RNA sequence: GCCGACGUAGCUCAGGGGUAGAGCAACUGAUUCGUAAUCAGUAGGUCCUCGGUUCGAUUCCGAGCGUCGGCACCA
């Protein structure tokens, strides 16, 4: 006698078990039409599922967020049926719903091409129009394996073999087509609707392992209705416009060419952006108690052998030899071994700890060619790296300080939101489990103290210790790890770092490897996409364009531009014989944040008309007031937080100078 | 690294077995104009590289390099 509780709190009792379909019908015809699936005590199940005990039921309709996942999963099944229909002999493997869509991996000798899409989509629409009912079937394990093997579907057979013995093997049938699937599904293929589109083909390793065969993956997107699909496609087009590679070219920030794959040629505009970020970081690190150092690029193999990099990291390293000497050197892929060398100079006392050693460390790593991506993933990059040499007891407080600093810096750069992942011990690791227990516990405690909530990234820690990953999302929706904090008990041991403790004995320090931006290259790529090139004034590579309306104002404009430069602003003077409309358009397209327009009126009255990028309003200010205002606005956020310069003359503060 | 697509003017892209075109940008000239494109003209190409097929290849074929999208790998 199940008593079923509905979301409004009402309870319905039934004589015997009921299906979701029957329950919905009992509640009302509108719901019966709209219900696609239901949540049974929080678990999403088919409408055909029999409810035989007391339970809470929430129906899922097209309007609910859960509907998207169902539509996409069902669309993947429809895709698979269409493909097997059109290309006999193609094996099916897996096809899940993913963010914004779905994919299905096929095993087929011939690759798919985007030219196949119209044909496949047409067949998919036929299958949707047919509206075959999704029927769930429970199969015996051996029968299921035999079934797929008889059809030559060896991937499916392998999947079933690897399912735990306890798992119920379920198939879903849509008309004549049948697939191994956990479910749940909607009522029938018709519920997929017409708001789907195949997007791209790609290779993907079977089970995500590069030692396995490469399958053909077809990606699609699916939505509740056409307008959602159109909005998504529009969003993609917008994202493409934000792409840092495109903006990098348009704003003349940088380029990359064949002779230096994975390395960046920074142009004047881009380098100005870079230096602005670097100066800001240098100030923030100094203020946070870091000491900056600089260590060699080329370091002898023996140090890499001692650190373990030669063994664990060699295939990622650029190795250099010289003609006249029997030496092997390597371009540093990381800064840590060099920092330990500085730490080891002289005797360190516990009083020196925590010792925060920072370097804008230029590193080279031989990254796989397929991994390279604009300036986000390169082979030559500069980390805002630092190593904190400390005691075990200092791990937690140092982590709290670090997270605070990172959050403040991300905020200043316009990233109020970021994800944190906790990567714990990997299968291949150095150090005993006792040490790992300690390191992980210390880091977890630190997270709790710093009120950092994280997602567990199991087994992804560094070989020497657990790490926190601070992840930002780019315009295309890809996540990039930028900041990191890694607890390391191993490197100090390998490279023999020690300090004299209170007890007079020598102890090993702990090393915290940490970066906030991660690499300047990646972070600046993120920054470009975050702002779509329309940087706030302090970051903009060109801050003000002074443009004349008529050539009579040339002299006045030149004087204004010079005064703005003296005030520390990056200025372009546009005296060209062009209409002011054209000048405004060009500087706007170049994302110059402030346009200072001067014509006869301004020249005569000693004023300037300011126009902000993206706005149409103009503001006419006196020359000096405008310069002072812009100089103030262009102040980096960390300096802007301090009292303005005029306070230096405040007698109350003069004692400190 | 793997799978696939792509590589033509500075940029965006057409084209196609008989050595190439558009728009924008550039350059020259005219125009002095008030908040997102003034007009006219000129110039610009080893059609990624190397090899093959062919009377002839930028076009077809192969290899290499690079880029792009995924996968794998990672800041």
């Amino acid at each position: 006698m199940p008593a079923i509780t509905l979301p409004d709190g009402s309870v319905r009792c039934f004589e015997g078990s009921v299906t979701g379909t029957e329950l919905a019908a009992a509640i009302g015809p509108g719901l019966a039409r709209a219900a696609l699936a239901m949540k049974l005590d929080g678990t999403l199940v088919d409408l055909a599922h029999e409810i035989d005990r007391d339970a809470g039921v929430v129906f899922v309709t097209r309007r609910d967020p859960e509907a998207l996942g169902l539509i996409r999963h069902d669309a993947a099944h429809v895709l698979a049926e269409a493909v097997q229909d059109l290309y006999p002999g193609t094996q099916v493997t897996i096809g899940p719903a993913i963010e914004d869509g779905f994919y299905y991996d096929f095993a087929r000798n011939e690759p798919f091409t985007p030219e196949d899409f119209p044909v496949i989509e047409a067949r998919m629409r036929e299958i949707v129009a047919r509206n075959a009912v999704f029927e769930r079937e429970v199969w015996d394990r051996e029968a299921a394996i035999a079934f797929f093997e008889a059809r030559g579907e060896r991937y499916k057979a392998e999947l079933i073999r690897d399912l735990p013995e306890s798992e119920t093997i379920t198939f879903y049938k849509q008309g004549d087509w049948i697939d191994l699937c956990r479910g749940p599904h909607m009522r029938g293929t018709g519920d997929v609707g017409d708001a789907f589109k195949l997007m791209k083909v790609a290779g993907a390793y079977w089970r995500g392992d590069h030692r396995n065969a490469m399958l053909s993956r077809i990606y699609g997107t699916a939505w509740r209705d056409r307008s959602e699909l159109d909005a998504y496609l529009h969003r993609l087009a917008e994202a493409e416009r934000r792409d840092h590679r495109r903006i990098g070219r348009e704003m003349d920030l940088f380029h990359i060419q064949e002779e230096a794959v994975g390395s960046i040629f920074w142009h004047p505009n881009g380098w100005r952006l870079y230096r602005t970020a670097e100066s800001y970081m240098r100030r923030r690190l100094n203020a946070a108690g870091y000491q900056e150092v600089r260590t060699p690029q080329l370091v002898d193999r023996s140090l890499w052998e001692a650190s373990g990099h030669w063994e664990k990291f060699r295939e990622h390293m650029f190795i250099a030899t010289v003609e006249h000497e029997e030496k092997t050197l390597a371009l540093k892929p990381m800064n840590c071994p060099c920092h330990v060398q500085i730490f080891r100079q002289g005797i360190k006392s516990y009083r020196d700890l925590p010792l925060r050693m920072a370097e804008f460390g230029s590193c080279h790593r031989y990254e796989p060619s397929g991994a390279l991506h604009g300036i986000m993933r390169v082979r030559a990059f500069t980390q805002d790296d630092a190593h904190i040499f400390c005691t075990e007891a200092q791990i937690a407080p140092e982590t709290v300080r670090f997270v605070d600093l990172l959050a403040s810096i991300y905020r200043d750069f316009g990233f109020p939101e970021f994800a944190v992942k906790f990567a714990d011990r990997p299968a291949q690791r150095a150090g005993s489990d006792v040490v790992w227990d300690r390191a992980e516990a210390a880091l977890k405690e630190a997270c709790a103290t710093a009120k950092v909530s994280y997602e567990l990234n199991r087994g992804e820690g560094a070989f020497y210790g657990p790490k926190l990953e601070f992840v930002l999302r780019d315009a295309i929706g890809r996540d990039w790890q930028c900041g990191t904090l890694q607890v390391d008990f191993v490197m100090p041991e390998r490279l023999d770092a020690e300090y004299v403790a209170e007890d007079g004995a020598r102890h090993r320090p702990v090393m915290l490897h940490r970066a906030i931006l991660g690499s300047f290259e990646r972070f600046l790529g993120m920054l470009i996409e975050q702002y779509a090139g329309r940087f706030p004034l302090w970051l903009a590579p060109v801050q003000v364009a002074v443009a004349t309306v008529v050539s009579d104002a040339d002299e006045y404009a030149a004087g204004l531009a010079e005064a703005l430069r003296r005030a520390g602003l990056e200025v372009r003077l546009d005296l060209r014989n062009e209409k002011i409309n054209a000048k405004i358009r060009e500087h706007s397209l170049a994302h110059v944040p402030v346009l200072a327009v001067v014509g006869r009126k301004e020249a005569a009255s000693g004023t300037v008309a300011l126009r902000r990028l993206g706005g149409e309003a103009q503001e006419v200010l006196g020359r000096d007031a405008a310069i002072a205002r812009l100089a103030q606005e262009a102040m980096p956020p960390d300096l802007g937080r301090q009292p303005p310069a005029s306070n230096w003359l405040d007698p109350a503060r003069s004692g400190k100078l």
Side-chain angles (χ1 to χ4, degrees), chain A residues 17 47 64 70 97 122 131 158 208 223 308 323 336 354 364 379 393 403 418 430 451 531 543 582 607 627 645 654:
Chain A
S17 66
L47 278 187
D64 295 309
L70 291 166
N131 194 16
E158 184 180 329
W223 298 85
E323 253 179 74
C336 31
H364 287 77
R379 289 177 175 162
V403 173
F418 54 90
K451 296 189 171 55
Y531 288 111
Q543 295 169 307
T607 57
I627 294 168
S654 61

Short mmCIF file of all heavy atoms in Angstrom, two decimals, chain A residues 17 47 64 70 97 122 131 158 208 223 308 323 336 354 364 379 393 403 418 430 451 531 543 582 607 627 645 654:
data_model
loop_
_atom_site.label_atom_id
_atom_site.label_comp_id
_atom_site.label_asym_id
_atom_site.label_seq_id
_atom_site.Cartn_x
_atom_site.Cartn_y
_atom_site.Cartn_z
N SER A 17 1.23 -1.49 -6.16
CA SER A 17 2.28 -0.66 -6.74
C SER A 17 1.74 0.10 -7.94
O SER A 17 0.83 -0.37 -8.63
CB SER A 17 3.45 -1.56 -7.14
OG SER A 17 3.04 -2.40 -8.19
N LEU A 47 9.61 6.90 -15.82
CA LEU A 47 8.19 6.98 -15.43
C LEU A 47 7.60 5.58 -15.30
O LEU A 47 6.67 5.36 -14.53
CB LEU A 47 7.40 7.75 -16.47
CG LEU A 47 7.43 9.27 -16.39
CD1 LEU A 47 6.44 9.82 -17.39
CD2 LEU A 47 7.11 9.76 -14.99
N ASP A 64 12.12 21.49 -15.96
CA ASP A 64 13.04 21.29 -14.83
C ASP A 64 14.48 21.15 -15.31
O ASP A 64 14.73 20.69 -16.41
CB ASP A 64 12.64 20.04 -14.06
CG ASP A 64 11.27 20.20 -13.42
OD1 ASP A 64 11.06 21.22 -12.74
OD2 ASP A 64 10.41 19.33 -13.66
N LEU A 70 18.41 14.47 -19.29
CA LEU A 70 17.64 13.39 -19.91
C LEU A 70 17.58 13.54 -21.42
O LEU A 70 17.78 12.59 -22.18
CB LEU A 70 16.21 13.38 -19.34
CG LEU A 70 16.08 12.96 -17.87
CD1 LEU A 70 14.71 13.31 -17.33
CD2 LEU A 70 16.34 11.46 -17.72
N ALA A 97 25.55 12.11 -21.43
CA ALA A 97 25.25 13.54 -21.47
C ALA A 97 26.41 14.27 -20.82
O ALA A 97 27.02 13.76 -19.88
CB ALA A 97 23.96 13.82 -20.71
N ALA A 122 19.50 14.00 -40.10
CA ALA A 122 18.22 13.71 -40.76
C ALA A 122 17.66 12.39 -40.24
O ALA A 122 16.47 12.27 -39.92
CB ALA A 122 18.39 13.67 -42.27
N ASN A 131 9.05 8.36 -32.51
CA ASN A 131 8.70 8.34 -31.09
C ASN A 131 8.61 6.94 -30.52
O ASN A 131 7.60 6.57 -29.89
CB ASN A 131 7.41 9.13 -30.83
CG ASN A 131 7.23 9.41 -29.34
OD1 ASN A 131 8.18 9.29 -28.56
ND2 ASN A 131 6.02 9.77 -28.95
N GLU A 158 32.77 -6.01 -23.24
CA GLU A 158 33.81 -5.72 -22.26
C GLU A 158 33.28 -4.87 -21.11
O GLU A 158 33.61 -5.10 -19.94
CB GLU A 158 34.98 -5.00 -22.96
CG GLU A 158 36.16 -4.75 -22.03
CD GLU A 158 37.32 -4.02 -22.73
OE1 GLU A 158 37.50 -4.22 -23.95
OE2 GLU A 158 38.02 -3.26 -22.03
N GLY A 208 39.49 6.26 -22.12
CA GLY A 208 40.36 7.36 -21.74
C GLY A 208 41.82 6.99 -21.53
O GLY A 208 42.57 7.73 -20.92
N TRP A 223 18.94 20.77 -26.48
CA TRP A 223 18.30 21.70 -25.56
C TRP A 223 16.81 21.45 -25.52
O TRP A 223 16.28 20.64 -26.27
CB TRP A 223 18.61 23.15 -25.99
CG TRP A 223 20.07 23.41 -25.93
CD1 TRP A 223 20.99 23.12 -26.91
CD2 TRP A 223 20.82 23.90 -24.83
NE1 TRP A 223 22.25 23.42 -26.47
CE2 TRP A 223 22.17 23.91 -25.20
CE3 TRP A 223 20.46 24.36 -23.56
CZ2 TRP A 223 23.19 24.34 -24.34
CZ3 TRP A 223 21.47 24.80 -22.72
CH2 TRP A 223 22.81 24.78 -23.11
N GLY A 308 65.47 14.49 -8.58
CA GLY A 308 64.52 13.49 -9.03
C GLY A 308 63.89 13.83 -10.37
O GLY A 308 63.20 13.02 -10.97
N GLU A 323 79.55 21.94 -27.34
CA GLU A 323 80.47 21.21 -28.20
C GLU A 323 81.79 20.90 -27.53
O GLU A 323 82.40 19.88 -27.77
CB GLU A 323 80.73 22.01 -29.48
CG GLU A 323 80.05 21.43 -30.69
CD GLU A 323 80.32 22.27 -31.92
OE1 GLU A 323 81.46 22.19 -32.41
OE2 GLU A 323 79.40 22.99 -32.37
N CYS A 336 62.08 24.93 -8.19
CA CYS A 336 62.29 24.49 -6.80
C CYS A 336 63.73 24.05 -6.50
O CYS A 336 64.29 24.48 -5.48
CB CYS A 336 61.28 23.43 -6.39
SG CYS A 336 60.66 22.36 -7.68
N PRO A 354 58.90 31.14 8.71
CA PRO A 354 58.84 30.69 7.32
C PRO A 354 59.61 31.62 6.40
O PRO A 354 59.50 32.83 6.52
CB PRO A 354 57.34 30.74 7.01
CG PRO A 354 56.79 31.79 7.93
CD PRO A 354 57.62 31.71 9.17
N HIS A 364 61.02 26.13 -18.98
CA HIS A 364 60.75 25.48 -20.27
C HIS A 364 60.31 24.05 -20.02
O HIS A 364 60.93 23.34 -19.23
CB HIS A 364 62.01 25.46 -21.14
CG HIS A 364 62.36 26.80 -21.70
ND1 HIS A 364 62.98 27.78 -20.94
CD2 HIS A 364 62.18 27.34 -22.93
CE1 HIS A 364 63.15 28.86 -21.70
NE2 HIS A 364 62.68 28.61 -22.90
N ARG A 379 55.40 26.13 -24.18
CA ARG A 379 56.59 25.39 -23.74
C ARG A 379 57.58 26.28 -23.01
O ARG A 379 58.51 25.78 -22.40
CB ARG A 379 57.26 24.74 -24.96
CG ARG A 379 56.44 23.58 -25.51
CD ARG A 379 57.08 22.99 -26.75
NE ARG A 379 56.33 21.81 -27.19
CZ ARG A 379 56.41 21.28 -28.41
NH1 ARG A 379 57.20 21.84 -29.31
NH2 ARG A 379 55.70 20.23 -28.71
N ALA A 393 54.35 22.79 11.59
CA ALA A 393 53.32 23.56 12.30
C ALA A 393 52.92 24.81 11.54
O ALA A 393 51.84 25.36 11.74
CB ALA A 393 53.83 23.95 13.69
N VAL A 403 46.00 31.55 0.72
CA VAL A 403 44.66 31.58 0.12
C VAL A 403 44.08 32.99 0.18
O VAL A 403 43.45 33.46 -0.77
CB VAL A 403 43.73 30.56 0.81
CG1 VAL A 403 42.32 30.70 0.31
CG2 VAL A 403 44.24 29.14 0.55
N PHE A 418 36.38 31.34 -8.33
CA PHE A 418 37.31 30.33 -8.80
C PHE A 418 37.01 29.02 -8.08
O PHE A 418 36.41 29.02 -7.00
CB PHE A 418 38.77 30.75 -8.58
CG PHE A 418 39.08 31.13 -7.16
CD1 PHE A 418 39.52 30.19 -6.25
CD2 PHE A 418 38.94 32.45 -6.73
CE1 PHE A 418 39.81 30.54 -4.94
CE2 PHE A 418 39.23 32.81 -5.41
CZ PHE A 418 39.67 31.85 -4.51
N ALA A 430 56.45 9.55 -3.94
CA ALA A 430 57.60 9.41 -3.07
C ALA A 430 57.15 9.69 -1.64
O ALA A 430 56.17 10.38 -1.43
CB ALA A 430 58.68 10.41 -3.48
N LYS A 451 38.65 28.45 5.48
CA LYS A 451 37.27 28.36 5.00
C LYS A 451 37.22 28.17 3.48
O LYS A 451 36.44 28.80 2.78
CB LYS A 451 36.47 29.59 5.40
CG LYS A 451 36.31 29.73 6.90
CD LYS A 451 35.33 30.83 7.25
CE LYS A 451 35.00 30.85 8.73
NZ LYS A 451 36.23 30.94 9.58
N TYR A 531 38.04 39.78 -20.00
CA TYR A 531 37.62 41.12 -20.35
C TYR A 531 37.33 41.28 -21.84
O TYR A 531 36.99 42.36 -22.28
CB TYR A 531 38.71 42.13 -19.95
CG TYR A 531 38.81 42.35 -18.46
CD1 TYR A 531 39.91 41.91 -17.74
CD2 TYR A 531 37.78 43.00 -17.78
CE1 TYR A 531 39.99 42.12 -16.37
CE2 TYR A 531 37.85 43.20 -16.41
CZ TYR A 531 38.97 42.76 -15.71
OH TYR A 531 39.04 42.96 -14.36
N GLN A 543 46.00 53.31 -22.84
CA GLN A 543 44.97 53.75 -21.90
C GLN A 543 44.11 54.88 -22.43
O GLN A 543 42.92 54.92 -22.20
CB GLN A 543 45.63 54.14 -20.57
CG GLN A 543 46.27 52.92 -19.91
CD GLN A 543 47.14 53.27 -18.74
OE1 GLN A 543 48.04 54.10 -18.84
NE2 GLN A 543 46.89 52.64 -17.60
N ALA A 582 35.47 58.16 -37.59
CA ALA A 582 36.37 57.09 -37.97
C ALA A 582 37.38 56.83 -36.86
O ALA A 582 37.69 55.69 -36.52
CB ALA A 582 37.08 57.44 -39.27
N THR A 607 39.83 72.57 -22.30
CA THR A 607 39.07 71.43 -21.77
C THR A 607 39.34 70.20 -22.64
O THR A 607 40.10 70.25 -23.61
CB THR A 607 37.56 71.72 -21.79
OG1 THR A 607 37.17 72.04 -23.12
CG2 THR A 607 37.22 72.86 -20.85
N ILE A 627 43.21 65.06 -16.42
CA ILE A 627 44.46 64.32 -16.24
C ILE A 627 44.52 63.69 -14.85
O ILE A 627 44.84 62.52 -14.70
CB ILE A 627 45.68 65.25 -16.48
CG1 ILE A 627 45.71 65.69 -17.94
CG2 ILE A 627 46.98 64.55 -16.09
CD1 ILE A 627 46.67 66.83 -18.22
N ALA A 645 48.47 60.13 -2.75
CA ALA A 645 49.81 60.66 -2.55
C ALA A 645 49.81 61.97 -1.77
O ALA A 645 50.75 62.25 -1.04
CB ALA A 645 50.47 60.87 -3.90
N SER A 654 53.64 62.69 8.80
CA SER A 654 54.99 63.03 8.37
C SER A 654 56.05 62.33 9.22
O SER A 654 57.15 62.07 8.76
CB SER A 654 55.19 64.54 8.41
OG SER A 654 55.01 65.00 9.74
#
